[in-house]
Amino acid sequence: LSHLQDWSEKFISATQTEWDQQKKNAENHLSEAKAHRKVFDYQSAIHTIQKIPKQMRTQRVSQFLNQLQSDYDEFRKLTKIISVRVDQSDQKGLLKLVERALELRGDQQDLINLKKQLVDRKSKLLSIRNKAFATATQRLKDQDYEGVLKELELVDPEVMNQPIRELRDKAKEKKNKLQQLQQVIENKVNKNQLYGLLNQVEEYLLLKHDEEKMLSLKQRLIEFEYHLI
């Protein structure tokens, strides 16, 4: 019995020692994997983690491995998309993709260079947009609705915002209303249907106050209605 007890104690001790060693190895592998991840070496990080026996992988280790694989797969997918978009000169929304790719692989010089180009491009687009908005706003005050729309065509869809859309919609609405009124007025003048037309001419002039033709027509209609009294 004494012999068996000695063997049992040695076995337990040896097992515990082996377990402690495996646990230490697992911690070392985890630290090494984190070091690889810090320098964006996903493949080495994943390979190092996979050296840890599955039964030794804690929830923390398993989650780290899953995140490594997810990030690595996402980066590879992003680089393919970015490459295609660059080849096709499709830059809409490309900056966000590049920024995300750099979060995953900040050591990629080609992506760093591309980001700088895209940032410079966006800065120029914003400058054009802001200048166009200021000019278009003044043209709306001047009742130059066609001029507003022409100016806003300079704005790239990538930097379009709500104020630009609202200004464009307002100019379109006033332009369409002006055209409708002009058509109605011209038809009635051609048919010599002058009675009651003054109201529509005045409505037109609210939208385009310096239209000489309508100002002249307004004066004629005032005189026409005066003689009807």
Side-chain angles (χ1 to χ4, degrees):
L1 291 176
S2 175
H3 173 72
L4 289 175
Q5 184 176 356
D6 290 343
W7 177 85
S8 176
E9 289 175 354
K10 289 179 180 179
F11 177 78
I12 293 172
S13 177
T15 302
Q16 184 64 46
T17 300
E18 183 180 354
W19 178 262
D20 290 342
Q21 184 60 47
Q22 287 188 0
K23 187 176 180 182
K24 183 179 180 181
N25 290 341
E27 289 297 330
N28 289 338
H29 288 320
L30 180 59
S31 296
E32 183 183 345
K34 287 182 177 180
H36 287 308
R37 171 61 181 87
K38 193 172 182 179
V39 294
F40 310 109
D41 187 355
Y42 287 97
Q43 287 177 299
S44 294
I46 291 170
H47 178 69
T48 301
I49 284 288
Q50 288 175 336
K51 290 180 181 178
I52 301 174
K54 289 185 178 180
Q55 65 271 21
M56 294 292 296
R57 295 177 192 173
T58 63
Q59 183 178 3
R60 178 167 61 100
V61 171
S62 296
Q63 288 176 344
F64 184 57
L65 175 59
N66 290 337
Q67 189 63 55
L68 284 171
Q69 292 172 326
S70 175
D71 289 348
Y72 183 52
D73 290 342
E74 182 183 359
F75 176 77
R76 289 191 299 174
K77 181 179 179 181
L78 280 171
T79 52
K80 289 179 181 178
I81 294 172
I82 290 169
S83 178
V84 171
R85 296 279 293 275
V86 169
D87 289 343
Q88 296 176 347
S89 297
D90 181 5
Q91 298 181 343
K92 184 178 180 181
L94 184 57
L95 179 57
K96 288 184 178 180
L97 297 178
V98 172
E99 287 175 334
R100 176 55 182 161
L102 281 171
E103 288 177 8
L104 297 168
R105 285 291 304 268
D107 60 335
Q108 300 294 290
Q109 189 60 47
D110 56 340
L111 291 177
I112 293 172
N113 294 338
L114 178 57
K115 179 184 176 181
K116 184 180 183 302
Q117 294 172 13
L118 293 172
V119 168
D120 290 344
R121 172 181 174 273
K122 187 169 185 179
S123 179
K124 291 177 183 177
L125 292 180
L126 288 172
S127 179
I128 292 171
R129 182 196 72 182
N130 294 339
K131 182 179 178 181
F133 181 72
T135 302
T137 299
Q138 183 58 50
R139 289 189 177 180
L140 184 68
K141 292 178 181 178
D142 296 338
Q143 298 183 318
D144 179 9
Y145 310 119
E146 186 64 43
V148 173
L149 298 174
K150 185 176 180 180
E151 193 67 31
L152 294 183
E153 286 178 358
L154 299 174
V155 179
D156 192 281
E158 187 175 340
V159 292
M160 184 70 67
N161 60 15
Q162 191 59 28
I164 295 285
R165 294 187 187 94
E166 290 177 355
L167 184 60
R168 182 186 60 193
D169 292 344
K170 185 180 292 186
K172 282 183 179 180
E173 181 182 353
K174 290 181 179 294
K175 177 188 173 183
N176 291 338
K177 182 64 176 177
L178 205 61
Q179 290 174 338
Q180 291 171 4
L181 284 168
Q182 182 176 2
Q183 186 175 4
V184 170
I185 291 168
E186 288 178 352
N187 287 339
K188 288 191 175 183
V189 168
N190 291 336
K191 295 177 182 179
N192 202 31
Q193 298 174 350
L194 304 183
Y195 185 74
L197 186 57
L198 181 59
N199 289 337
Q200 289 166 316
V201 171
E202 288 178 333
E203 185 179 358
Y204 182 99
L205 287 169
L206 287 175
L207 295 169
K208 193 75 172 175
H209 68 272
D210 60 350
E211 180 68 56
E212 291 185 6
K213 183 178 178 181
M214 289 298 171
L215 287 170
S216 176
L217 178 58
K218 177 182 177 181
Q219 188 58 42
R220 284 175 51 200
L221 293 171
I222 290 174
E223 294 174 0
F224 170 75
E225 293 195 1
Y226 174 78
H227 289 301
L228 288 178
I229 299 175

